[in-house]
Amino acid sequence: MSLLSSVQSPADLKRLPANRLPQLAQEVRDFLIEAVSRTGGHLGPNLGVVELTIALHRVFDSPRDRILFDTGHQAYVHKLLTGRQDFSRLRAKGGLSGYPSRAESEHDVIENSHASTVLSYADGIAKAHQIQGRRDRHTVAVIGDGALTGGLAWEAINNIAEAQDRPLVIVVNDNERSYAKTIGGLANHLATLRTTQGYERFLTWGKEALQRTPVVGQPIFEALHGAKKGFKDSFAPQGMFEDLGLKYVGPIDGHDIAAVESALRKARGFGGPVIVHCLTVKGRGYRPAELDEADRFHAVGAMDPYTCLPLSASGGTSWTSVFGEEMVAVGAQRPDVVAITAAMLQPVGLAPFAKAYPDRIFDVGIAEQHAVTSAAGLATGGLHPVVAVYATFLNRAFDQVLMDVALHRLGVTFVLDRAGVTGNDGASHNGMWDMSILQVVPGLRLAAPRDAEQLKQQLREALEVTDAPTVVRFPKGEIGPVIPAVEHLGGVDVLQRTSVPGRTGQQILLVSAGTMAGACLDAAALLTADGFATTVVDPRWVKPVDPALVKLAAEHQLVVTVEDNGRTGGVGAAVAQALRDAEVDTPLRDLGLRQEFLEHAGRGEIMEEAGLTGTGIAAQAAAFAKHLLTDRGVNEPRAS
């Protein structure tokens, strides 16, 4: 029986003698490399927190003590130590979530998978304990140096420091990286703190060397030792934290379990807010990850753990790479175009642009709000910024989009990767909110390209807009074949018109948003076979609604909109409002995602359950049509 399999709870972990812990840490790493290589998932972050997580669960008493993780993708070790060791379906339907999950375990306190939030959660939990007189409970927040670049973290620290008698331990997991290397003033400060260890080693060496020097050695050492605080304040100014009212412990070798345990016990006994600064190595113990300069194997697909080659070959080009290549081409022609990323240079495809134009790329850290308002400043200064983020992360900067960009009528382009259903990363990562949230922003224009050619063309169209924000959104994954238009009406592309012999009039208008075009074309074939003449259109720009689309709707008996976005307030709602405003009474039915948090599963599984495949769209549209068109006295469809 392996040591890891004997640990089914933190209580089991506490019973292990200290000399067995290095073996446990090695077994955890071996397990992670083998299991995550088979399923895909967040590998590098978890390899870096093995010893840290072991120490946390030995010092604190979860779930009585509340241990919270930010962002949560480094919680695999926590799962293993709290009885969840079946990783066979990690991030797949019916399997373990890739993030903490309250449904999985009482040890999972929060399900956050957006960064920089944990300190605010912890502040609230610690306050709740204090108000309710629970003085025997501790709150522990684990946050990375990358997440500390987010402004919300510092809003929380400002409040945490307010009460010196409220026990709260902040563990800074400092690996110098988020996805890529952490940059900025805070990163420089933490780097300075890391030199403390070098200073301490120098002081130890100096004591030994000087005390061997007759007569003058001891006085020199005493003078040096007396100057220690001055040296550390100058070269390792942990005073920044202490001046805020936070006790600082560190830096600690985060891979030395005994050292981390000792620091955590000291912090636990302090009785007030404490920062424990742990130095770790992302990807620790797996040489390919440690040597990967891009992101230390932050997230991997299923791969061979020895060769690191994918288990299945890629079937095509990704949406992200098409955007990245086009940005380089645009950059060569438009010196006014600059790019902004929020600590995700590689994931959003801006690495080629950064290489080609290093002076025109700005990585602001995990700070989407700052990214957007900084972009407003760049636009005010005469440039055209492109802010590239995941669709779900733009939610965090909605106020800045509304008040800092749109209100000022500034030409800023937002490129939203991972729009629509992303699937395996779970509820918080599905980009299913943007087309609803952004509908309320005055003047904003939103494009949903259906293929690679449209992505390139619509990006360039967006960059021509100088008096309003523009948005271009696309999904995660491989890009499909080019879908040509058969005709153009205003800004609307007609992708297909079908007719049914013996029938008069145009019956069903399928309005496809972005990548739903392929499924709508499949649905049109099925509907035509079922006796419904069907027109499929791609509005290209889904906000504002093109007058040509309203005119087309007036010429049909039924409109069905299809989008990979929540139904509430989405494209369907916008089209319905445009029809009402134009006094067009053609019935409309909107197909989209359920307005709820979707469990982690494959994109295909979620889309099928939502009825957003060709078969699902056809079945729903036919049911609408058979009811509505018959009631209106339109020629009845042929019997199936």
Side-chain angles (χ1 to χ4, degrees):
M1 183 179 183
S2 70
L3 201 56
L4 175 58
S5 62
S6 72
V7 177
Q8 294 296 315
S9 71
D12 295 333
L13 179 63
K14 288 180 171 69
R15 285 191 286 267
L16 287 180
N19 63 2
R20 301 295 302 279
L21 299 180
Q23 177 188 340
L24 175 64
Q26 186 58 53
E27 288 186 15
V28 168
R29 282 199 171 86
D30 291 343
F31 177 96
L32 290 172
I33 293 167
E34 193 277 331
V36 180
S37 295
R38 187 171 58 248
T39 62
H42 289 102
L43 182 56
N46 287 284
L47 293 174
V49 297
V50 175
E51 291 84 2
L52 175 56
T53 310
I54 290 172
L56 280 167
H57 278 295
R58 280 173 62 85
V59 171
F60 295 98
D61 184 21
S62 176
R64 185 179 186 82
D65 293 332
R66 312 300 266 168
I67 301 175
L68 299 81
F69 293 89
D70 186 310
T71 300
H73 56 230
Q74 79 283 45
Y76 293 4
V77 185
H78 164 76
K79 289 176 186 272
L80 291 173
L81 300 179
T82 53
R84 289 166 283 175
Q85 297 183 7
D86 181 3
F87 273 47
S88 61
R89 291 190 56 76
L90 177 68
R91 301 170 70 246
K93 186 176 182 179
L96 290 178
S97 167
Y99 293 93
S101 169
R102 289 153 65 95
E104 285 180 10
S105 172
E106 62 181 345
H107 296 281
D108 290 3
V109 184
I110 55 175
E111 301 187 7
N112 64 316
S113 46
H114 285 190
S116 310
T117 63
V118 74
L119 300 186
S120 296
Y121 278 112
D123 178 52
I125 291 171
K127 286 173 178 173
H129 287 335
Q130 186 177 55
I131 290 171
Q132 296 174 69
R134 297 172 177 171
R135 303 187 183 280
D136 59 340
R137 301 188 181 191
H138 295 83
T139 307
V140 185
V142 181
I143 186 168
D145 58 302
L148 277 177
T149 61
L152 181 60
W154 290 92
E155 293 178 29
I157 286 174
N158 181 56
N159 283 272
I160 288 168
E162 177 188 17
Q164 291 300 299
D165 61 342
R166 187 180 300 138
L168 196 163
V169 178
I170 300 171
V171 178
V172 177
N173 171 36
D174 181 5
N175 59 22
E176 304 181 68
R177 308 181 75 86
S178 48
Y179 283 88
K181 193 170 181 65
T182 307
I183 63 173
L186 177 65
N188 294 336
H189 177 76
L190 291 175
T192 304
L193 286 175
R194 290 183 204 107
T195 67
T196 302
Q197 287 191 324
Y199 172 77
E200 298 288 359
R201 287 193 295 269
F202 166 72
L203 193 64
T204 300
W205 168 83
K207 177 179 180 180
E208 295 172 353
L210 290 171
Q211 286 183 339
R212 292 195 299 268
T213 305
V215 185
V216 298
Q218 185 63 28
I220 292 174
F221 170 74
E222 290 175 357
L224 179 61
H225 190 270
K228 177 179 177 179
K229 175 117 180 24
F231 272 121
K232 289 181 73 173
D233 284 347
S234 298
F235 297 108
Q238 68 269 29
M240 181 184 76
F241 295 114
E242 294 181 345
D243 288 347
L244 287 169
L246 299 169
K247 181 72 174 176
Y248 173 87
V249 179
I252 309 298
D253 180 353
H255 300 296
D256 183 334
I257 297 176
V260 178
E261 281 194 36
S262 176
L264 291 175
R265 291 186 197 281
K266 290 177 184 176
R268 185 185 63 183
F270 181 67
V274 188
I275 283 184
V276 178
H277 183 189
C278 295
L279 308 183
T280 63
V281 176
K282 190 173 182 179
R284 170 87 170 202
Y286 186 36
R287 192 67 175 158
E290 291 184 10
L291 294 176
D292 180 50
E293 280 302 316
D295 64 5
R296 298 289 198 272
F297 282 25
H298 179 87
V300 299
M303 67 177 188
D304 185 305
Y306 300 101
T307 66
C308 302
L309 295 175
L311 294 182
S312 58
S314 173
T317 304
S318 71
W319 285 89
T320 305
S321 64
V322 171
F323 161 67
E325 291 170 5
E326 191 64 12
M327 275 295 291
V328 173
V330 166
Q333 300 164 9
R334 292 274 303 268
D336 63 317
V337 171
V338 297
I340 300 177
T341 176
M344 301 181 76
L345 187 73
Q346 295 277 352
V348 298
L350 284 176
F353 186 89
K355 184 178 180 180
Y357 315 107
D359 295 333
R360 291 157 58 187
I361 183 80
F362 304 98
D363 186 342
V364 300
I366 302 177
E368 291 86 359
Q369 290 175 297
H370 171 66
V372 174
T373 304
S374 177
L378 286 163
T380 301
L383 300 175
H384 194 117
V386 175
V387 181
V389 295
Y390 285 6
T392 184
F393 295 147
L394 189 67
N395 303 348
R396 313 183 81 186
F398 172 76
D399 183 67
Q400 287 67 40
V401 173
L402 179 67
M403 294 298 176
D404 300 335
V405 178
L407 177 64
H408 293 81
R409 296 177 176 82
L410 295 172
V412 176
T413 295
F414 298 94
V415 174
L416 306 186
D417 202 326
R418 271 69 163 177
V421 171
T422 56
N424 293 331
D425 274 331
S428 66
H429 273 53
N430 288 315
M432 57 180 285
W433 323 102
D434 59 293
M435 290 200 292
S436 297
I437 291 172
L438 295 174
Q439 286 289 346
V440 304
V441 178
L444 181 141
R445 308 176 198 183
L446 197 158
R450 65 181 180 268
D451 57 31
E453 291 305 311
Q454 288 299 309
L455 170 54
K456 296 175 185 179
Q457 184 175 336
Q458 289 181 271
L459 174 62
R460 289 178 179 269
E461 290 173 12
L463 292 171
E464 292 299 321
V465 178
T466 61
D467 60 352
T470 52
V471 178
V472 180
R473 54 131 35 204
F474 52 81
K476 177 181 180 180
E478 296 170 358
I479 205 161
V482 171
I483 300 174
V486 296
E487 60 181 294
H488 306 283
L489 298 173
V492 176
D493 281 355
V494 179
L495 306 183
Q496 189 176 76
R497 288 186 189 269
T498 67
S499 59
V500 177
R503 296 292 164 80
T504 59
Q506 301 179 60
Q507 296 187 60
I508 300 176
L509 175 66
L510 284 182
V511 180
S512 165
T515 57
M516 300 310 301
C520 285
L521 289 172
D522 292 341
L526 294 171
L527 287 167
T528 302
D530 199 18
F532 298 101
T534 306
T535 304
V536 181
V537 298
D538 172 12
R540 301 181 70 251
W541 291 86
V542 297
K543 176 181 171 21
V545 176
D546 195 307
L549 182 59
V550 175
K551 183 179 178 182
L552 270 170
E555 297 169 356
H556 287 74
Q557 279 81 50
L558 172 66
V559 178
V560 178
T561 62
V562 186
E563 60 191 296
D564 56 347
N565 184 76
R567 292 177 60 211
T568 303
V571 174
V575 174
Q577 180 175 321
L579 298 188
R580 291 193 299 272
D581 290 347
E583 298 184 351
V584 173
D585 63 355
T586 305
L588 182 145
R589 295 293 182 268
D590 58 314
L591 302 182
L593 297 171
R594 303 187 305 274
Q595 208 68 54
E596 60 188 53
F597 294 111
L598 306 176
E599 295 294 327
H600 60 278
R603 173 181 165 86
E605 293 172 310
I606 292 175
M607 297 295 277
E608 185 169 2
E609 287 181 2
L612 296 178
T613 61
T615 302
I617 294 166
Q620 294 175 86
F624 297 148
K626 287 174 183 176
H627 172 69
L628 293 168
L629 301 186
T630 300
D631 285 351
R632 288 183 163 220
V634 180
N635 292 339
E636 293 186 6
R638 64 170 66 118
S640 299

